[in-house]
Amino acid sequence: MRTATTPSHSQAGVAGAPRWTFTMLTIPSRVEFLGKLLRSMAELPRRTPFEVVIVYNTATEEEPMAVEARIRALAPSLPIRVYVNATDPTIGGGRRVQLSVCRTPLVAFIDDDLTLHGDILGAIEQTLRAHPLGIVGLPSYEEDTDTRFKPRESTPYVNVDGIRYMPVQGMLVAGYRRLFADIGGFNPRRQFWGEWTEFNLRMWRHGIPTGYILDHAFLRHWHKAPESPTRNMSGREQHVLWGLMCTALEYDAVAINEATDAFWRLAQDRYLQYSFGEQPSPKLLLASVLELMPRLSREFPAIHAFAETARQHPFHFKPFETFNEQQVRSVIAHAEAAIVPYRSVFDDIAPLEPPAPKHSGWMKRIGRAVLGRRENLQPQTMA
């Protein structure tokens, strides 16, 4: 990993040291979309200081300071630091760099094909103060439309006090830097698929819930960005299969039973179809497993050690398990005490006024569209 060392810009008009980092992974072919993201970031309300960390996740002959200068020019008013990760430019490798170079107590990981809208940090910070959450996510919409991309209505969730408790499915993932590190950081066996799925599961198993807030701020997902590892990357089949194999072994989900039903059902009905096609070929599946066997043999001691540690977690949720009301409330009760050391970041800081819900413009359009789709949906909810 190489880093540009030019001092970061001061953030004009905002007093105090930053307590937030916005951090993104990017590659050369996606810099145009990164520019849109940075420009939207520059237009956010400056109610709390932040800095921006970008990991240029590729091998390059370009000098790191030249890369940084080119990226800073996309949004000159932002306090940007750039790191070139040529050592392990996988998604998981880039995530580990992002976490290791973050120097603020609060962090938001953001995909580089998004734009940000509304009082992003005000909404997240108010939520972290009020709820014992380990990860906060925001809704995203398909490009310039009212069609919500994530969280998907088809993914099970439980509503409690305005929070949609469920795994946060990437896009924007915000929380406490030290908590992210304390639960073990990013799994080294997730390279190009599944890093957030596994990270959310580990957070819940540690007794810290994750969830979305659907008011106040939102994201737009510009899905035409090139070279997406989740949509059009060559070799995606083996990345997905490897993630499923490791998940089953790490979290004791190999046996097919009632506890692991959700994992095996999603593996069969969604993820294998997603990666191998609607009718996965048994021959292709077997060949892919055999190609992964040498890697599995090499990494099995680490997988076994991880599984032994996972058996010590206070909660033993299985991968993709659907949470019920009792489970969610049990985790919330556990988290009320567990989150205290991390929430202390706010002790000497006056709370921001909560951002007012938006009832005009984009929220009116989105509200009509989302409410219209909800009329025929009956998700599991609680008061």
Side-chain angles (χ1 to χ4, degrees), residues 7-223:
S8 54
H9 299 308
S10 61
Q11 191 171 345
V14 179
R19 63 179 182 266
W20 276 99
T21 293
F22 286 130
T23 181
M24 292 79 75
L25 292 180
T26 198
I27 55 177
S29 62
R30 293 164 70 95
V31 168
E32 174 189 350
F33 287 83
L34 175 67
K36 292 177 65 173
L37 169 59
L38 292 174
R39 287 188 289 275
S40 74
M41 202 174 288
E43 296 174 359
L44 294 177
R46 299 295 185 94
R47 301 208 299 157
T48 185
F50 64 85
E51 63 179 18
V52 180
V53 168
I54 296 169
V55 174
Y56 198 66
N57 207 40
T58 186
T60 179
E61 295 302 316
E62 194 174 5
E63 292 295 337
M65 288 183 66
V67 174
E68 180 168 77
R70 183 157 46 85
I71 290 176
R72 280 183 168 177
L74 298 171
S77 66
L78 292 179
I80 296 174
R81 290 186 289 134
V82 177
Y83 294 82
V84 177
N85 176 32
T87 304
D88 177 19
T90 62
I91 299 297
R95 297 282 185 227
R96 287 187 287 279
V97 173
Q98 288 179 288
L99 187 57
S100 69
V101 301
C102 177
R103 59 192 186 186
T104 59
L106 298 162
V107 60
F109 293 80
I110 304 172
D111 289 358
D112 64 354
D113 55 359
L114 301 174
T115 50
L116 311 183
H117 305 270
D119 189 0
I120 297 283
L121 292 184
I124 295 171
E125 193 165 303
Q126 179 68 17
T127 300
L128 289 172
R129 286 175 179 269
H131 303 275
L133 283 162
I135 295 175
V136 177
L138 296 173
S140 58
Y141 293 84
E142 294 181 7
E143 306 216 343
D144 194 19
T145 73
D146 296 339
T147 303
R148 195 168 72 210
F149 182 59
K150 290 184 180 179
R152 298 184 177 95
E153 289 291 345
S154 60
T155 303
Y157 62 87
V158 175
N159 282 341
V160 181
D161 297 331
I163 305 297
R164 178 173 288 205
Y165 286 95
M166 61 181 293
V168 174
Q169 305 162 329
M171 312 298 282
L172 181 148
V173 177
Y176 304 96
R177 177 196 58 79
R178 189 157 58 93
L179 174 58
F180 284 15
D182 284 351
I183 70 165
F186 293 96
N187 191 314
R189 284 167 297 283
R190 301 304 185 276
Q191 293 188 323
F192 285 103
W193 182 83
E195 86 279 11
W196 286 124
T197 299
E198 190 277 329
F199 195 81
N200 274 264
L201 173 61
R202 196 158 13 111
M203 189 74 76
W204 279 88
R205 287 174 64 101
H206 275 81
I208 310 289
T210 68
Y212 285 89
I213 50 173
L214 300 184
D215 297 325
H216 312 301
F218 69 103
L219 319 168
R220 292 206 176 278
H221 178 227
W222 305 92
H223 65 272

Side-chain angles (χ1 to χ4, degrees), residues 261-272:
D261 177 70
F263 170 77
W264 285 108
R265 182 162 32 83
L266 282 171
Q268 174 181 282
D269 297 342
R270 179 183 297 177
Y271 295 114
L272 292 180

